[in-house]
Amino acid sequence: MRKLIVSAALGSLLIASIADAQERDPIQAEIKYRQAVYTLIGAHFGPIGAMMRGRQDFDLAAVQSNAATLAAVAPLAVNSFTLESHAENSDALSAIWENRADFDEKMNNLQMGVADFAEAAATATGVDDLREAFGNVGGTCKACHDDYRAEPQNRVR
Ligand code: ASC
């Protein structure tokens, strides 16, 4: 029992020191920030996708709420690639920083696509009113993932 307590204490010290090291390293701090932003994007786009694809009952109020949050969060993604923050623990490819203008245009398309979707959701009466705007958002996600995100098999996570 005592051994267990000692090793648990050592374990949490180790975790705390890794967290401290990441906070002192601006690249790791940006990666952490970015992953937080994309976690939020996924958390709000996921339910929209499930409802739009008929995998979950369509609930207009839930779509509207998720879309509004998504529109607020998407601009943060743009600010999460300021440093050349590609590393072992990130799916962001170095191509981002080698094709900055193209990447920025694609990020801008994401923001506009999400804003249009949120606007469409605000006045929609049903799923059919949202198909086009949803397809556009999906296209902006895919455009970036195709060129600038590591393929799943290359991921460390
Ligand atoms: C999703 C999701 C994406 C996009 C993309 C569209 O539901 O998680 O990244 O749609 O697959 O092609």
Side-chain angles (χ1 to χ4, degrees):
M1 188 61 182
R2 177 175 291 199
K3 241 184 195 165
L4 200 68
I5 293 170
V6 171
S7 61
L10 284 177
S12 50
L13 270 179
L14 183 66
I15 289 165
S17 70
I18 291 170
D20 285 348
Q22 286 185 352
E23 263 133 48
R24 283 194 299 269
D25 176 347
I27 305 273
Q28 283 301 321
E30 183 164 274
I31 290 170
K32 208 165 145 186
Y33 177 90
R34 180 160 67 229
Q35 291 174 346
V37 171
Y38 278 89
T39 296
L40 285 172
I41 290 177
H44 292 282
F45 192 60
I48 292 174
M51 288 187 267
M52 292 302 302
R53 294 176 178 120
R55 291 192 200 121
Q56 209 172 290
D57 287 345
F58 187 80
D59 173 348
L60 183 58
V63 171
Q64 288 168 336
S65 160
N66 280 301
T69 306
L70 199 55
V73 172
L76 302 181
V78 180
N79 301 325
S80 70
F81 296 91
T82 57
L83 306 174
E84 269 201 46
S85 50
H86 45 91
E88 279 277 293
N89 60 334
S90 167
D91 294 335
L93 296 178
S94 57
I96 292 168
W97 292 275
E98 290 152 13
N99 303 279
R100 195 69 223 206
D102 180 62
F103 179 77
D104 287 346
E105 189 185 324
K106 289 186 161 108
M107 289 301 277
N108 193 41
N109 290 342
L110 167 72
Q111 279 190 73
M112 291 193 306
V114 165
D116 284 350
F117 182 83
E119 206 181 303
T123 57
T125 55
V127 65
D128 288 330
D129 296 337
L130 292 171
R131 292 202 195 280
E132 191 183 338
F134 175 74
N136 290 340
V137 174
T140 68
C141 296
K142 188 176 187 307
C144 242
H145 293 167
D146 282 352
D147 292 344
Y148 299 117
R149 185 179 69 166
E151 289 301 320
Q153 64 266 25
N154 297 330
R155 288 194 198 151
V156 250
R157 290 185 315 282

